[in-house]
Amino acid sequence: VSTQSTGSSGINAEYGLFEVNMESITVVDQMQCIKLLSSKLRDKSTGYKDFMIYADRLTTILAEEALARVPAVVPKQIETPCGVFDGLEDREDQQLCVVSIIRSGDILLEAVRKLAPGIRVGKILIQRDEETEDKRPIYFYRKLPTDIADCYILLVDPMLGTGGSSICATEALVADGVKPENIMFVNLFSCREGLSALLSKFPEMKVVTLDMDDTLNEDKFLVPGLGDFGDRYYGTNHK
């Protein structure tokens, strides 16, 4: 159901000024339920209560896909009651850690935790400076497991716009000894500009995203996008 997207060359796809290494990206956009739930989230008339319900359903689908794509999931022949099936197994010899970019990342973090009880948890607080033209990220805080360098990381944040926050969070993980090839960035909606920025800085990373939007507006929000994910989920823009 999920698709590994590739450009016309099989390696890189050029979108305007932005070149994206599509070999590092999995776009999970072929399921009808994803299209439906995404439409509910994008609809500006969806109230925050319904937005939360649809978002929780969609993040669960994304979390399942991300957990199925960690390196510890390997091919295995499964004996069924009627024959042999070429399937997969998830080995338990790899320590996983889910790290959220606060606050919206916590929504995805909880989806992962429900599916993988006992998974290690880390938090990184980064906020973008709304007073700057490029909305540059400002790092404030991180709290990570002491053995973070030995873990495979699911770095989670629902939206990827400029890529600034994801780059800043990845730099914090690398500073604590995590290798970029041991990081998977997991998000709902992204764009080519942000993906290009992130993977230009950390080409060894993997990305799992539900969809790639066309561009960013002058406020650095995705277009068509859905607005501010955190505000709509938590009701902080509700009047």
Side-chain angles (χ1 to χ4, degrees):
V1 175
S2 302
T3 60
Q4 183 77 35
S5 298
T6 58
S8 58
S9 67
I11 298 177
N12 296 317
E14 293 187 8
Y15 301 95
L17 297 175
F18 308 108
E19 185 177 274
V20 180
N21 179 6
M22 297 301 293
E23 286 191 342
S24 298
I25 303 169
T26 299
V27 184
V28 192
D29 60 354
Q30 299 301 307
M31 298 169 65
Q32 191 81 346
C33 63
I34 290 176
K35 185 78 169 180
L36 175 60
L37 292 171
S38 296
S39 298
K40 299 286 190 182
L41 293 185
R42 292 181 187 274
D43 190 338
K44 67 179 183 180
S45 68
T46 300
Y48 80 94
K49 180 180 179 181
D50 287 336
F51 188 95
M52 179 189 69
I53 293 170
Y54 297 132
D56 285 347
R57 290 167 61 183
L58 195 56
T59 53
T60 298
I61 296 171
L62 178 60
E64 289 277 19
E65 184 64 28
L67 288 168
R69 288 187 174 272
V70 301
V73 175
V74 297
K76 181 182 179 180
Q77 287 195 324
I78 307 296
E79 292 190 13
T80 79
C82 304
V84 177
F85 172 71
D86 291 327
L88 299 169
E89 72 167 341
D90 48 347
R91 301 194 318 259
E92 297 182 359
D93 57 353
Q94 184 180 54
Q95 187 71 255
L96 299 179
C97 179
V98 56
V99 177
S100 66
I101 301 175
I102 303 170
R103 115 187 117 148
S104 294
D106 289 344
I107 301 162
L108 252 175
L109 180 144
E110 289 305 319
V112 173
R113 289 184 68 228
K114 288 177 184 177
L115 299 174
I119 191 172
R120 303 287 183 91
V121 170
K123 304 260 188 173
I124 302 177
L125 176 58
I126 298 167
Q127 293 182 334
R128 69 179 194 170
D129 186 350
E130 299 292 349
E131 302 301 318
T132 60
E133 183 177 352
D134 59 355
K135 312 300 181 185
R136 69 174 59 102
I138 303 174
Y139 166 83
F140 286 96
Y141 164 89
R142 69 180 180 269
K143 185 69 172 179
L144 304 170
T146 56
D147 62 346
I148 190 72
D150 299 324
C151 297
Y152 187 85
I153 311 300
L154 301 178
L155 178 62
V156 296
D157 196 19
M159 310 294 284
L160 176 67
T162 64
S165 294
S166 57
I167 291 172
C168 187
T170 302
E171 289 174 339
L173 291 169
V174 170
D176 279 1
V178 180
K179 296 178 180 179
E181 58 264 34
N182 288 334
I183 303 173
M184 177 193 293
F185 182 68
V186 183
N187 87 308
L188 291 173
F189 304 110
S190 59
C191 72
R192 294 157 179 97
E193 179 177 343
L195 290 169
S196 176
L198 176 61
L199 294 175
S200 294
K201 181 79 172 180
F202 300 104
E204 307 92 341
M205 285 180 65
K206 298 297 183 183
V207 176
V208 176
T209 184
L210 287 187
D211 205 357
M212 289 196 296
D213 279 7
D214 298 331
T215 187
L216 299 172
N217 64 17
E218 63 273 12
D219 293 320
K220 305 302 180 183
F221 281 100
L222 295 175
V223 178
L226 51 72
D228 189 298
F229 190 95
D231 280 345
R232 295 192 65 187
Y233 185 92
Y234 291 113
T236 47
N237 64 344
H238 180 64
K239 296 179 181 179

